[in-house]
Amino acid sequence: MNKTKIAVLVSGGGTNLQALIDSVGSVLTSGELALVLSGNRNAYALERAAKAGIATEIVVKKECADQADFEGRIIAALEKHGIELIVLAGFMNILSADFTNRYPERIINVHPSLIPSFCGKGFYGLHVHEAALAYGVKVTGATVHFVNEIPDGGRIIAQKAVEILPGDTPEILQKRVMEQAEWILLPQAVEKVSAAMMKGETV
Ligand code: GAR
């Protein structure tokens, strides 16, 4: 049976992309990392992809006429590479309902909190951890979920809790959430969905 063809959409450092690359053959066996698409020309994630021999494409929002043009270029790249499953791994652009409705339960996102806490518009990257520390919660974590037209609103696939410790800064907390939750959870969830797709099942 053919493996599920996966595109990973990135904008920055790409540590979650790296976790996926490192999981190939152990955790990730039903999916093939066929494309890395970056929303940023200077993303270090592009170097990680090149090193792993994965095809890359770049689509920068501010180089596009409008949202429809931006999404049209992404769709063209996905089609060119025969992509069946899209993973948002630190992709810092909002996708419209026109885009998400095209791929129902075929887009996965990793978010660095326990949704529905600290999510939605404006909650991305370090801001999420700043908000958790400012609120004073004692536990946070990460969530992997399907993407629909509501930011961080799609069905949850997996979650993992992570402790907040005295003296945490947003940077320290971000690192702990990545190490203890995101980098473990994302490959597992991508495998679960890829395997289900190969069998024509839903998760
Ligand atoms: C990750 O912590 C990811 O969960 C977060 O951005 C970081 C990207 O890091 N995503 C969001 O906040 C999405 N709302 P990476 O480029 O090293 O994977």
Side-chain angles (χ1 to χ4, degrees), residues 12-16 89-90 92 109-112 123-125 128 152 178 182:
T15 64
N16 279 287
M92 297 302 174
N109 181 45
V110 58
H111 182 78
F123 287 97
Y124 60 90
V128 179
D152 297 321
M178 284 176 158
E182 295 185 53

Side-chain angles (χ1 to χ4, degrees), residues 4 6 28 30-31 85 189-199:
T4 302
I6 300 166
L28 183 55
S30 307
L85 178 64
V190 172
E191 170 58 20
K192 191 173 174 184
V193 176
S194 301
M197 284 174 66
M198 273 175 77
K199 293 186 225 145

Side-chain angles (χ1 to χ4, degrees), residues 115 119 145-148 150-156:
I115 290 175
C119 65
H145 63 93
F146 286 118
V147 174
N148 63 12
I150 303 158
D152 297 321
R155 191 157 68 85
I156 290 172

Side-chain angles (χ1 to χ4, degrees), residues 9-31:
L9 274 55
V10 297
S11 297
T15 64
N16 279 287
L17 167 65
Q18 192 65 51
L20 286 167
I21 291 170
D22 294 344
S23 79
V24 170
S26 53
V27 175
L28 183 55
T29 56
S30 307

Side-chain angles (χ1 to χ4, degrees), residues 15 23 56 72 129 162 180:
T15 64
S23 79
T56 57
H129 304 293
V162 174
Q180 295 186 6

